[in-house]
Amino acid sequence: MIRLIGYFFGIGTTLALLVAAGLAIYIGHLTKDLPDYEVLAKYEPPVTTRIHASDGSLMAEYARERRLYLPIQAIPDRVKAAFMSAEDKNFYNHPGIDITGLGRAIIVNLQNFGSGRRQVGASTITQQVAKNFLLTSDQTYERKIKEMILAFRIEQAYSKDRILELYLNEIFFGFGAYGVAGAALTYFDKSVNELTVAEAAYLASLPKGPNNYHPFKHADRAIERRNWVIDQMVENGYVTREEGDKAKAEPLGVKPRRNGSYLFAGEYFTEEVRRQIIARYGENALYEGGLSVRTTLDPKIQLIARKAMQNGLLKYDTLRGYRGPVTHIDVSGDWGVPLGAVKGLEDVPEWTLAVVLDSSADGLTIGIQPARQVSGDLVKDRVEGTVSKDDMGFAMRHFVNGKSVRAKSPAEVLEPGDVIFVQKNEGSDNAYSLRQVPEVEGGLVAMDPHTGRVLAMVGGFSYAQSEFNRATQAMRQPGSSFKPIVYSAALDNGYTPASVIMDGPITIQSGNTTWTPKNYDGTAAGPATLRSGIEKSRNLMTVRLANDMGMKLVVEYAERFGVYDHLAPYLPMALGSGETTVMRMVSAYSIMANGGKSIKPSLIDRIQDRYGQTVFKQDERGCEGCNAAEWKNQPEPELVDNSEQVLDPMTAYQITSMMEGVVQRGTGATIAELGRHIAGKTGTTNDEKDAWFIGFTPNLVVGLYMGYDTPRGLGKGATGGGLAAPIFKDFMRVALDGTPNVDFQVPEGMKLIAINRKTGMRAAEGDPNTIIEAFKPGTGPADSYWVIGMGADGSNGAGGALSPQANQAIQDGGGGLY
């Protein structure tokens, strides 16, 4: 018997050794193909890029995986406790594998064998790190063994805190959120530091299967799982029973954070920044790089700009009548469902969509588009309102088959089923006014002239309606707003504000092509000073001036100011018939406002990488004495401006002074009502297709245009002074409120001399037609009367021949008008 027992023991031992050897060989084979766990030391996950306004307000987030990486020290103990309770309560005690949990899982799987139930695992947090970072999610024993081996190795190479940090920043939570910081923002719009016990427990319940515990589709299942996690936190001693019961009594409270742009009215600006980052660093840097971008946007000024521009567009549009409803739906049943499917303008929250339920001679009965609950479902309640005949007065002039028709009753304009935009009347519960998305569009830019920082940008009426940015992308003729460039070139090259030019008929002939430019009002005033020419925006004077000094000089200054990259040297271009953008025009005027220094328009102040290192800074000025270790009575630190001087500072003041005259008594006189030191210039293109105004104070430049996207006439008499200048005025009235009324600084050495407005000669004592004019050293009023552009025989003079390309330019543009 003893020999028999020994015999069987030997066989058993041999078999055990063979099995052990086989396992060793098998495991050895598996370890040859294991990935390098040392890559965890260099782990750089895709991280969300965040864009901020100048005051720190969050403008937008961009990510393929919405993740904000947090070091373990920044994650609250309560949040860590929730995840360890849900996933691995012995995390800080096991060597990578929880033997107790593994044994429990084996027993459960043996009991469930053949039942068809899914096998349970006992993965520790370390094993999940190994799987998520280094392996696939295949449900195989081979992958499980690899996972265990890697878990042991990871535990030997990294601290527990580092492993937990990797886990909490990598896991997927659903709703596109990765990492606990991203999940806290996505689900609760909170930072992890603000999470309650209940909220932390719910997030900890999600890694098992985010869709299984969806807060809206499977709310009961989600609450059950969350409460189980809370019970585990109590059992493990992380929270008291009282805290646990209180947390379990709370609702889920999920408030999904919307994606994309967050700062109201900043959509056009944000999109322009997005394009610039992609152009500079590529798409991967934007969507995975975790950049922190500080922009130049001033949210307060942006709101002012949006309101002024929208009001101006609406005022123009409503005067031209009503073009009809947005669409038409069936209202015989539940009108809320089809109305809820109609897309509105999310960036115009003052407006809402409504459907006409009844129309009569007195007005409309309307149904308001139902709001959506957090779950995305429409609110079941149906809200009705009214639109009186007075509150839709502009629509009494409406269009039928393309023709304008006068209606006597609202019932002639709209019928039941018509979907319309309305705005609630102030102080009323259910009274609304009819609204219409304007056809006319425009762009506006506000800029700091000393730095080029873009403080506000409006690219159109609504970004939701059209993403095309009319401030930076629309190529438009600037019309007479280009004239200050022409006059700056003249003042920089021997002319003075008192130089006299003939404002009289002129004809340019080339072969069979004849160009006869005209002033806007069709009249000619005779000889007048340069100041008068720009204040009254005289085309004939500008053409003669450009002809006298040569278009090559005008082209040089236009390109030096950055208005154009390449401008054809033809006379019509002197009247602004070449195409450019609002951004470029505002940048050019900034040069005049800042004393003649070149500026580079910027939307971005600074970009930092995921580690906080600055990788881009717009301000390139040096600072002498900024890094002194201590103060030893040395001079104060001084910023060194290395900007190129592209215009004589005295010339910059002269053209500024002349444009102050545009505001005080010229084509922009409506702005004089503000009582501010403002210089500016109107612009209107051929056939009134575009209306411009660009103006500035010593510290703020604002430019805008109004026009149809497919250029067509704005109507007879539509000018920059009548359409664009009032928008500028509305903006400046609010933007400058509470700021000092700063005057433009006269450069040292400049002479201020009283001259006669008409002759440009020194004014006699008591002359009522006097104005103070600025002259550079060595210049002054003329001693004798001389008119540029008048022939020796006393005629008005004539231009020379034009090239075929210039003939085409005349036919295409013709130039600015007013």
Side-chain angles (χ1 to χ4, degrees):
M1 178 65 70
I2 293 174
R3 285 199 300 270
L4 186 61
I5 292 172
Y7 174 74
F8 282 116
F9 178 77
I11 292 175
T13 302
T14 301
L15 290 174
L17 290 173
L18 289 173
V19 170
L23 284 173
I25 293 171
Y26 177 66
I27 292 174
H29 171 72
L30 292 181
T31 57
K32 291 180 181 179
D33 300 326
L34 285 179
D36 184 6
Y37 62 90
E38 292 182 359
V39 299
L40 297 179
K42 302 175 182 178
Y43 173 59
E44 288 189 350
V47 179
T48 301
T49 287
R50 311 183 89 192
I51 297 178
H52 300 267
S54 60
D55 66 350
S57 303
L58 181 62
M59 295 172 62
E61 295 177 316
Y62 296 101
R64 295 193 178 102
E65 298 179 2
R66 285 184 306 202
R67 177 189 285 108
L68 298 175
Y69 195 92
L70 285 181
I72 192 65
Q73 296 84 357
I75 301 174
D77 290 340
R78 175 177 292 174
V79 174
K80 290 186 282 188
F83 281 87
M84 286 189 292
S85 296
E87 298 291 330
D88 188 0
K89 67 178 182 180
N90 297 319
F91 171 70
Y92 276 97
N93 299 318
H94 62 63
I97 297 175
D98 187 348
I99 303 299
T100 304
L102 181 61
R104 191 183 308 114
I106 292 173
I107 294 172
V108 172
N109 288 336
L110 289 174
Q111 292 173 343
N112 292 338
F113 183 76
S115 66
R117 297 180 183 177
R118 184 179 177 182
Q119 293 186 331
V120 300
S123 293
T124 63
I125 286 176
T126 311
Q127 287 176 264
Q128 291 183 56
V129 167
K131 180 186 71 174
N132 293 339
F133 286 85
L134 306 171
L135 300 171
T136 67
S137 296
D138 297 338
Q139 295 292 326
T140 63
Y141 287 109
E142 182 176 311
R143 195 271 297 163
K144 198 70 177 175
I145 294 171
K146 288 182 178 181
E147 181 184 292
M148 293 179 181
I149 296 171
L150 284 171
F152 278 122
R153 293 182 176 181
I154 290 170
E155 288 274 353
Q156 292 172 357
Y158 303 103
S159 68
K160 286 285 188 179
D161 281 348
R162 173 60 176 167
I163 295 168
L164 186 59
E165 178 183 292
L166 292 171
Y167 172 77
L168 291 176
N169 281 287
E170 175 66 17
I171 46 179
F172 177 60
F173 287 86
F175 283 1
Y178 290 78
V180 66
L185 287 171
T186 299
Y187 280 87
F188 300 107
D189 200 12
K190 292 181 176 182
S191 72
V192 289
N193 295 316
E194 300 172 306
L195 293 175
T196 65
V197 171
E199 291 165 347
Y202 176 62
L203 293 183
S205 71
L206 290 171
K208 284 292 185 186
N211 198 50
N212 295 335
Y213 308 110
H214 194 284
F216 308 121
K217 295 179 182 178
H218 308 297
D220 292 341
R221 197 186 301 170
I223 291 175
E224 181 182 351
R225 172 69 178 173
R226 180 204 67 178
N227 290 348
W228 178 84
V229 174
I230 293 172
D231 286 338
Q232 293 300 304
M233 293 177 72
V234 173
E235 182 179 326
N236 296 330
Y238 293 122
V239 296
T240 65
R241 173 58 62 185
E242 183 181 357
E243 289 174 321
D245 291 341
K246 182 180 178 182
K248 288 163 65 176
E250 295 179 13
L252 283 178
V254 172
K255 299 176 182 177
R257 194 182 198 200
R258 69 187 182 93
N259 300 329
S261 181
Y262 302 108
L263 186 69
F264 178 60
E267 294 85 358
Y268 283 108
F269 195 106
T270 301
E271 174 59 17
E272 190 68 23
V273 170
R274 187 190 73 87
R275 283 196 291 263
Q276 287 191 12
I277 293 174
I278 290 176
R280 187 184 297 271
Y281 301 111
E283 286 196 7
N284 286 342
L286 176 68
Y287 292 104
E288 299 180 2
L291 302 176
S292 176
V293 183
R294 181 61 65 97
T295 72
T296 61
L297 182 76
D298 186 318
K300 293 180 180 178
I301 294 181
Q302 179 66 34
L303 288 175
I304 298 168
R306 170 192 179 266
K307 185 175 182 180
M309 194 71 194
Q310 284 191 343
N311 287 347
L313 297 175
L314 288 171
K315 181 180 179 181
Y316 172 87
D317 188 72
T318 53
L319 290 174
R320 276 135 191 89
Y322 187 60
R323 293 183 300 279
V326 176
T327 188
H328 188 88
I329 63 173
D330 182 8
V331 291
S332 59
D334 182 2
W335 49 263
V337 176
L339 181 59
V342 181
K343 186 178 180 181
L345 300 177
E346 60 186 29
D347 59 342
V348 189
E350 303 93 336
W351 293 9
T352 185
L353 284 168
V355 62
V356 177
L357 302 176
D358 183 52
S359 59
S360 65
D362 297 326
L364 310 173
T365 300
I366 57 174
I368 306 301
Q369 185 180 56
R372 291 189 180 274
Q373 298 173 343
V374 174
S375 62
D377 298 328
L378 292 173
V379 174
K380 293 182 179 179
D381 295 337
R382 301 292 180 255
V383 177
E384 295 186 5
T386 61
V387 178
S388 69
K389 183 178 180 180
D390 291 339
D391 288 331
M392 57 178 291
F394 79 94
M396 292 300 101
R397 178 185 174 187
H398 66 125
F399 289 85
V400 179
N401 297 325
K403 293 184 178 181
S404 180
V405 177
R406 280 283 179 185
K408 297 180 180 179
S409 164
E412 297 178 31
V413 181
L414 293 163
E415 62 182 22
D418 285 341
V419 177
I420 57 177
F421 279 107
V422 295
Q423 181 174 354
K424 181 176 282 190
N425 294 344
E426 194 171 341
S428 174
D429 290 332
N430 66 343
Y432 294 80
S433 294
L434 181 66
R435 292 290 180 259
Q436 172 178 255
V437 178
E439 263 192 322
V440 70
E441 284 286 2
L444 181 151
V445 171
M447 183 181 292
D448 180 337
H450 305 290
T451 62
R453 299 175 71 249
V454 177
L455 306 176
M457 176 192 294
V458 180
F461 179 78
S462 164
Y463 183 81
Q465 178 202 15
S466 169
E467 296 181 9
F468 181 66
N469 191 334
R470 295 154 189 89
T472 60
Q473 294 176 304
M475 299 298 294
R476 313 293 292 208
Q477 292 180 333
S480 293
S481 63
F482 178 72
K483 288 176 181 173
I485 310 297
V486 179
Y487 283 76
S488 293
L491 294 169
D492 226 21
N493 288 275
Y495 299 80
T496 74
S499 296
V500 178
I501 303 175
M502 172 56 70
D503 181 15
I506 184 173
T507 298
I508 308 295
Q509 178 121 20
S510 176
N512 296 325
T513 303
T514 299
W515 179 43
T516 304
K518 295 180 180 179
N519 289 323
Y520 182 77
D521 58 8
T523 66
T529 61
L530 259 66
R531 171 180 285 277
S532 177
I534 202 167
E535 287 182 358
K536 303 301 181 183
S537 197
R538 310 300 284 183
N539 292 334
L540 298 175
M541 294 177 66
T542 305
V543 171
R544 273 199 171 82
L545 179 63
N547 193 46
D548 187 66
M549 64 181 171
M551 274 302 295
K552 286 188 177 180
L553 189 61
V554 174
V555 168
E556 178 190 335
Y557 275 75
E559 294 175 2
R560 185 188 296 185
F561 275 74
V563 178
Y564 303 103
D565 291 329
H566 303 287
L567 180 66
Y570 311 134
L571 278 174
M573 299 301 179
L575 298 180
S577 61
E579 294 181 339
T580 187
T581 66
V582 177
M583 180 72 81
R584 285 190 166 215
M585 289 299 294
V586 171
S587 299
Y589 275 61
S590 293
I591 292 174
M592 304 177 215
N594 69 24
K597 292 182 178 179
S598 68
I599 61 104
K600 186 188 300 181
S602 63
L603 280 68
I604 300 172
D605 275 337
R606 185 183 72 245
I607 301 176
Q608 294 170 287
D609 63 18
R610 66 171 72 206
Y611 304 109
Q613 298 296 316
T614 297
V615 295
F616 170 79
K617 186 175 68 171
Q618 176 64 29
D619 192 346
E620 299 176 349
R621 291 177 297 177
C623 183
E624 295 182 356
C626 285
N627 297 321
E630 57 182 313
W631 185 65
K632 297 181 178 179
N633 296 315
Q634 70 266 41
E636 292 182 2
E638 183 178 349
L639 287 172
V640 180
D641 191 350
N642 52 10
S643 301
E644 181 186 0
Q645 194 78 38
V646 298
L647 188 68
D648 188 312
M650 292 188 175
T651 300
Y653 178 78
Q654 287 177 318
I655 193 65
T656 296
S657 174
M658 291 162 67
M659 284 193 286
E660 280 191 279
V662 173
V663 170
Q664 293 164 2
R665 55 192 160 267
T667 56
T670 182
I671 295 165
E673 298 172 12
L674 295 177
R676 291 273 184 166
H677 294 290
I678 296 176
K681 183 70 185 73
T682 55
T684 311
T685 61
N686 271 3
D687 302 322
E688 293 95 356
K689 290 179 180 176
D690 289 320
W692 289 72
F693 189 86
I694 309 173
F696 55 90
T697 67
N699 298 309
L700 180 64
V701 183
V702 180
L704 66 109
Y705 88 91
M706 179 191 295
Y708 292 100
D709 284 345
T710 301
R712 69 175 194 260
L714 292 167
K716 190 63 178 176
T719 65
L723 294 180
I727 297 175
F728 175 91
K729 180 172 70 173
D730 289 346
F731 171 85
M732 284 296 200
R733 177 184 291 113
V734 183
L736 298 178
D737 186 40
T739 64
N741 187 13
V742 181
D743 200 355
F744 295 100
Q745 188 173 355
V746 181
E748 188 176 347
M750 197 145 224
K751 298 181 293 182
L752 300 179
I753 301 173
I755 66 165
N756 180 276
R757 290 179 184 273
K758 186 68 177 175
T759 66
M761 300 175 67
R762 191 180 296 270
E765 189 173 346
D767 186 346
N769 198 23
T770 299
I771 188 170
I772 302 297
E773 201 60 87
F775 293 91
K776 299 175 184 177
T779 69
D783 296 327
S784 59
Y785 190 56
W786 173 257
V787 181
I788 300 170
M790 180 174 285
D793 58 356
S795 65
N796 290 335
L802 296 178
S803 68
Q805 293 88 346
N807 292 333
Q808 186 62 47
I810 292 169
Q811 295 167 12
D812 292 343
L817 292 174
Y818 193 49

